Amino acid sequence: MYIFWDNSNIHYAGLNHVRPVKEPAIEKERYRTYFKGLLNLVAQGRQIDNIYFAGSVPPKGDALWNAVEKLGITPSLLPRSLTDGEADTTDHVLQLALLRLAMDSPEPNTVALLTGDGAGINSGEGFLADAMRLAARGWKFEVYSWDLACHARLKEFAQQSGKYVKLEDYYENITFIVGGRRAVEL
């Protein structure tokens, strides 16, 4: 099994779409993704062949990626654009890794996509378009996404090509609040 984790997509969808519904009184600055809980949810005791994790370079002094590295994950960190976040560079890094994996693997396997991004599908680009290419060659897909922010066609694809996991059902296991609620271990 291979994991492709778009941290920005998972974090900001949870922060901006799910937190206001689940914990409306909590200030957004206190919301955090609990990396270990999310990894445990996806892995479920299965062998992980590799984890491809992409996100933005954090502000100076931010120890965010230390938690990821403690899990044995080496993140691909990309600089933020001054105008529009990451400008899809994390998507491109993960898509390239996905296509290289497919080209280099002797046999199809299972890919877990941690994203909600279906951007580019109408022009044959993006996570969904590449996942569809691999599924046509026998690869199985699992998509872990915030239902409130998941692209409808990505969700439909996952339900047809493997499984779809609605992260809202695990909110308390995969998030925590700084100075408040701790994550509940799975």
Side-chain angles (χ1 to χ4, degrees):
M1 159 185 230
Y2 298 89
I3 297 174
F4 287 78
W5 189 330
D6 181 345
N7 185 64
S8 296
N9 190 278
I10 294 296
H11 176 75
Y12 288 109
L15 174 69
N16 296 321
H17 298 284
V18 182
R19 178 201 48 85
V21 173
K22 296 275 193 179
E23 297 180 291
I26 299 297
E27 304 87 5
K28 66 189 307 182
E29 295 78 20
R30 296 177 53 210
Y31 170 91
R32 297 289 187 278
T33 301
Y34 181 50
F35 299 118
K36 180 181 174 188
L38 187 51
L39 182 59
N40 288 340
L41 171 64
V42 175
Q44 296 181 14
R46 298 177 285 181
Q47 178 183 330
I48 299 172
D49 296 300
N50 204 346
I51 300 172
Y52 303 87
F53 184 107
S56 296
V57 174
K60 285 189 180 221
D62 191 323
L64 173 68
W65 299 128
N66 293 346
V68 173
E69 290 169 348
K70 285 181 184 178
L71 295 173
I73 301 170
T74 303
S76 293
L77 299 179
L78 302 153
R80 292 182 186 274
S81 163
L82 295 176
T83 56
D84 54 8
E86 296 164 344
D88 295 323
T89 53
T90 55
D91 290 0
H92 294 141
V93 165
L94 293 172
Q95 287 168 244
L96 178 60
L98 180 63
L99 292 173
R100 284 181 176 164
L101 172 66
M103 295 300 295
D104 295 342
S105 296
E107 293 187 27
N109 203 324
T110 299
V111 170
L113 293 176
L114 283 68
T115 188
D117 198 345
I121 185 58
N122 294 329
S123 59
E125 300 174 358
F127 275 121
L128 178 52
D130 292 338
M132 291 169 76
R133 289 178 178 100
L134 273 65
R137 291 171 174 79
W139 287 77
K140 300 292 181 211
F141 282 86
E142 300 174 0
V143 172
Y144 296 79
S145 184
W146 296 109
D147 206 47
L148 287 171
C150 187
H151 191 283
R153 287 188 60 192
L154 178 64
K155 180 178 178 178
E156 179 183 320
F157 164 77
Q159 292 169 328
Q160 294 172 355
S161 301
K163 74 177 183 178
Y164 176 77
V165 177
K166 178 180 167 182
L167 292 179
E168 282 88 342
D169 293 344
Y170 301 93
Y171 180 82
E172 290 80 15
N173 309 107
I174 63 172
T175 68
F176 66 95
I177 303 301
V178 173
R181 179 184 58 78
R182 297 176 60 102
V184 177
E185 295 293 333
L186 286 170

